[in-house]
Amino acid sequence: MSPTIVRRLNLTNVIVNVAIIVSGGAVRLTGSGLGCPTWPNCQPGAFHATPEMGIHGYIEWGNRLFSVGVGFVAAATLLAALLLKPRRRALIGYALLVAIGVPTQAVIGLITVTSGLNPWVVSSHFLISIGILTAAYMGYARSREPDGNIEYATPPAFRTLSWLVVAASLATIALGVLVTGSGPHAGDPSSPRIPLDPAMLAQVHVHAVFLLLGVTVAAGLAAVALKAPLRLRRALWWLLGIELAQGLIGFVQFATGLPVILVGAHMLAAAILWLFTVHLVVAGRRYLPSDSDTASPSTATREETVAAV
């Protein structure tokens, strides 16, 4: 199996897992969460949506079909990692995590439907997607790097600061999920909401956003002071730009009464924000080929040594 094919499949894994987040958001925001009232059948006695079910049935059914496609990409990525010679444990491990995560999401989908769109279950759907996206991106990043000894571009104190950025980003996303779960977009007009004050949750979410902005700016200034590699400084400034854009979307959507299109854009931006958060960790280190790898021309042709991820 060609390393190029493995790398492209890992990238496809990332793309489709972002797309399924958007697709799932469309189901929720159009009120189509119970468009297919049974699972795995779309309705009793019919596996697929029918014209009688209306647009909501087709939206929910389309999301289910797309999730099958995501599963095929996950399986293909895992198979490619297994066929790659020499085998690389990291690639197999990340691909396996994604391949396990996709059917896990299907089970949660079953619970979501049978529970009448329980808001806690719906919220877990998104958070697990974030976990799957992490594994998919790490698989892509490792497919662009050789196996070997890890080298960090910054001292331990800066790496601790980077992990604070990761923690703040995750907290911001989790709080955003709770805000959405307590708000008006339930996925179906009759579905329950998280029994917490959405205005209070929104305020806490804003505090988390400011914390995230603060630690990101601090990390950026520290990277400049330490003369960190350009790839790391770029990763931080890209992350900061996405945070500002996401904050702007959040402010406008709150001020305009949570219109569907802006809430959907906010969900997409959350996925992109998390990707760049994970990329920050990746950009702070690189793998150096071991002596045996550099001595072997055949291995050198199979592996990419990248200074910038």
Side-chain angles (χ1 to χ4, degrees), residues 163-309:
W163 282 109
L164 287 176
V165 174
V166 173
S169 180
L170 184 59
T172 300
I173 291 171
L175 285 166
V177 171
L178 290 178
V179 172
T180 303
S182 64
H185 301 295
D188 186 84
S190 62
S191 298
R193 311 305 296 127
I194 291 176
L196 295 172
D197 180 9
M200 179 272 293
L201 285 175
Q203 188 61 51
V204 175
H205 179 56
V206 169
H207 291 324
V209 170
F210 281 120
L211 174 63
L212 174 59
L213 287 169
V215 292
T216 303
V217 169
L221 294 176
V224 172
L226 291 169
K227 297 181 180 179
L230 181 60
R231 67 179 184 276
L232 179 56
R233 283 177 281 155
R234 282 178 174 170
L236 279 161
W237 300 131
W238 270 105
L239 178 59
L240 179 61
I242 293 165
E243 291 168 3
L244 291 171
Q246 176 74 320
L248 178 62
I249 295 172
F251 175 79
V252 174
Q253 74 168 6
F254 185 79
T256 55
L258 303 178
V260 166
I261 188 67
L262 286 181
V263 177
H266 205 52
M267 293 179 71
L268 172 60
I272 295 173
L273 171 66
W274 183 247
L275 281 177
F276 274 84
T277 301
V278 178
H279 177 65
L280 172 62
V281 176
V282 172
R285 90 289 185 274
R286 63 175 179 169
Y287 284 85
L288 301 177
S290 62
D291 293 339
S292 59
D293 288 338
T294 54
S296 170
S298 60
T299 303
T301 59
R302 284 194 297 263
E303 301 284 7
E304 273 190 290
T305 304
V306 232
V309 178

